[in-house]
Amino acid sequence: MSISVKNITKIYGEQKALDNVSFDINTGEIVGFIGPNGAGKSTMMKIITGLIPATSGEVFVNEKNVNDSDLHFRNDIGYLPENNPLYTDMYIREYLEFVAGLYKLGVNARTRIDQMIHQVGLEAEIRKKIRMLSKGYKQRVGLAQALIHDPKILILDEPTSGLDPNQIIEIRNLIAETGKEKTVMLSTHILQEVEAICHRVIIINNGVIVANDSAEKLITENSRNLQTIIVEFDAGMKKEVLEQINNVTKVIHVKLNTWLIQSNAEKDLRPEIFQFAVKNGLTVLSMQKHEKSLEEVFHELTK
Ligand code: ADP
Ligand code: MG
């Protein structure tokens, strides 16, 4: 089950929320969809699930246009909307029965609901109305409703937002586990989450896709024009002298005999620093190449 988004533009009144957006998500992939607030993530997800129409462009779910009259593709999609709207006056089981009814699960509903309650770990809370649940447990109910019809595709809009650090890890593990046999598109502000569970990252900013690659590749690609080395020598050295090393563009004193040295060159700076040390009778006590984080890359691409 795949998703293919082709040249989607969405205009709300005067506001262009999505501007000619195209990307694919392949069967079995877990893709992180990230971007600042207002970038267009929720809008894109609503268009993929067929909840709102695009102004122009097309979305294909498993090669079928979602705008074609039959809504069968909806059975293939599980969707957890932003802010997870639930009927809070219902009991957990009552709510899941309601959702099972919408998907016409019929005689299979009961077994499936039991499976879901077990899978997302709701047994201990099963006697409570949804209103009484903590945010983490509400999120489990949201996941259960998204998974109940065993969709091949999961679209999760900020599933861990507002959760405490322990709940975040629990929900993240649940997504990683249930996502194993599914195609997953996940929006989040937690970039470690993306690095931990996503095969690929799509970054959107102001309605435009600004990156689409694995987190690793995004980091190496965006680090290419700037290397940062942190080096500790066994003795003092003057900044001006360090600035004379080939290709060095910036030198910052960190502490004592430790320096941060930057270069815009493609060539690895470390051998140069090492040779410099030898030439000047210094010993290199430690030398590390500082890698950019996904957070820094995200910041650069969306500022
Ligand atoms: P994100 O989920 O990335 O925070 P959204 O898709 O919710 O972004 O919003 C994208 C842009 O579209 C924002 O500027 C938002 O204000 C605007 N927008 C979203 N929904 C509507 C709407 N129903 N009517 C008008 N503007 C909207
Ligand atoms: Mg949103």
Side-chain angles (χ1 to χ4, degrees), residues 10-18 33-46 52 82 157-158 187 189 204 207:
K10 175 70 184 181
I11 301 170
Y12 292 111
E14 309 247 288
Q15 163 120 40
K16 201 182 252 185
L18 295 171
F33 193 47
I34 61 178
N37 284 332
K41 302 178 297 295
S42 298
T43 300
M44 190 66 247
M45 290 177 148
K46 285 180 204 160
I52 60 170
E82 195 172 22
D157 197 353
E158 297 195 26
S187 77
H189 286 299
I204 185 168

Side-chain angles (χ1 to χ4, degrees), residues 16-59:
K16 201 182 252 185
L18 295 171
D19 186 1
N20 199 26
V21 168
S22 299
F23 59 84
D24 291 300
I25 298 182
N26 305 315
T27 306
E29 264 191 311
I30 301 185
V31 171
F33 193 47
I34 61 178
N37 284 332
K41 302 178 297 295
S42 298
T43 300
M44 190 66 247
M45 290 177 148
K46 285 180 204 160
I47 292 172
I48 294 172
T49 53
L51 281 177
I52 60 170
T55 307
S56 61
E58 285 163 323
V59 173

Side-chain angles (χ1 to χ4, degrees), residues 66-79:
V66 301
N67 286 325
D68 285 351
S69 50
D70 94 81
L71 290 175
H72 248 81
F73 80 95
R74 285 200 185 171
N75 290 328
D76 296 324
I77 297 184
Y79 174 47

